[in-house]
Amino acid sequence: IYAELAIESIEASPEIASALDVPRRTSLLKSTRITYLQEGRPLEQTTGWFLGSRYSYRLIEGTPPWRQEGELP
């Protein structure tokens, strides 16, 4: 499985501002992730909107030394 994650800074639209209960045009982080199957077909897409003041980002790359390549977590 392969995934692409994009995070960008945006201003809250009226709809998103209402859903998050923040003022319109508040700065947000928009996260879009697309996960693909091994043959390249898209499996799922997720989109989230986050307040930067309430968001923490952590990225782990590669396979931990205690896990075999291809082994599921």
Side-chain angles (χ1 to χ4, degrees), residues 4 30-36 42-47:
E4 294 179 2
K30 178 183 176 186
S31 168
T32 304
R33 178 184 166 113
I34 304 173
T35 304
Y36 298 89
L43 174 64
E44 69 176 353
Q45 177 177 332
T46 58
T47 303

Side-chain angles (χ1 to χ4, degrees):
I1 292 181
Y2 167 81
E4 294 179 2
L5 173 65
I7 300 174
E8 61 183 311
S9 177
I10 64 164
E11 290 184 347
S13 68
E15 297 82 14
I16 298 300
S18 176
L20 295 177
D21 195 26
V22 297
R24 189 174 158 208
R25 300 187 67 184
T26 296
S27 277
L28 301 174
L29 294 174
K30 178 183 176 186
S31 168
T32 304
R33 178 184 166 113
I34 304 173
T35 304
Y36 298 89
L37 296 172
Q38 194 166 4
E39 66 272 9
R41 281 190 306 129
L43 174 64
E44 69 176 353
Q45 177 177 332
T46 58
T47 303
W49 293 267
F50 306 93
L51 291 169
S53 61
R54 300 181 192 169
Y55 184 77
S56 173
Y57 182 75
R58 181 178 175 196
L59 175 66
I60 300 172
E61 295 180 320
T63 303
W66 62 87
R67 189 174 294 147
Q68 297 291 322
E69 183 71 36
E71 179 184 353
L72 296 175

